Amino acid sequence: MSATPRIAVCPGSFDPMTMGHVDIIERAARLFDRVVVAVLVNAEKAPLFSFDERVAIIREVFAGQPNVEVETFQGLLVDYARQKQASVIIRGLRAVSDFEYEFQMALMNRHLAPPIETIFMMPAEQYTYISSRLIREVFSLGGQIDGLVPPVVEARLMARRKARPLPNARTT
Ligand SMILES: Nc1ncnc2c1ncn2[C@@H]1O[C@H](COP(=O)(O)OP(=O)(O)OP(=O)(O)O)[C@@H](O)[C@H]1O
Ligand SMILES: [Mg+2]
């Protein structure tokens, strides 16, 4: 008997990918046959990384995990999930602050596509306060982000900082 593979989609902007994202995707990869990490293509004015860079970074982070794949998507998430034959949407929950928006999205997606379930997962405690927005902010102000993002993200950001030091960075 060949069971239908269980496929989950993990959508987000991943600008940049953080250890919180990595934690959730790894947990999902243990539960599902295939996990499709879907980078949302939206009209963000000043992204930190281009879509191609984000996809390349995520591919590198999960290079050793054959059941994790990465793509970009646009339009309705449920349409994309159907197209990938995914039965589940995975979302990470950090704190109560995530809940209201996530609750609305999950119910709207259920309204649009009743067979697709949204599953919420909690990251390891030490990642519950990390968001891409905070990483972007801390990095732009010259703060340390090691341990909060995968080493490939840190390396790319450090290379950038070297090429374009902060305007108020001391050189002496
Ligand atoms: N630290 C984290 N722990 C658990 N889940 C997370 C974490 N960071 C993000 N996620 C989840 O990953 C998914 C994709 O989120 P997204 O790419 O918007 O990240 P984000 O950190 O919220 O970015 P931004 O700060 O730009 O909104 C969402 O389900 C989000 O809740
Ligand atoms: Mg967010």
Side-chain angles (χ1 to χ4, degrees), residues 11-14 20-21 24 91-92 94 123 127 130-133 136:
S13 353
F14 305 102
H21 295 129
I24 296 296
R91 298 288 291 175
R94 285 164 282 203
Y127 302 137
I130 305 173
S131 70
S132 296
R133 187 186 56 76
R136 292 194 295 272

Side-chain angles (χ1 to χ4, degrees), residues 146-160:
D146 52 302
L148 306 181
V149 295
V152 48
V153 171
E154 197 193 342
R156 282 185 187 235
L157 289 176
M158 288 307 145
R160 234 180 235 210

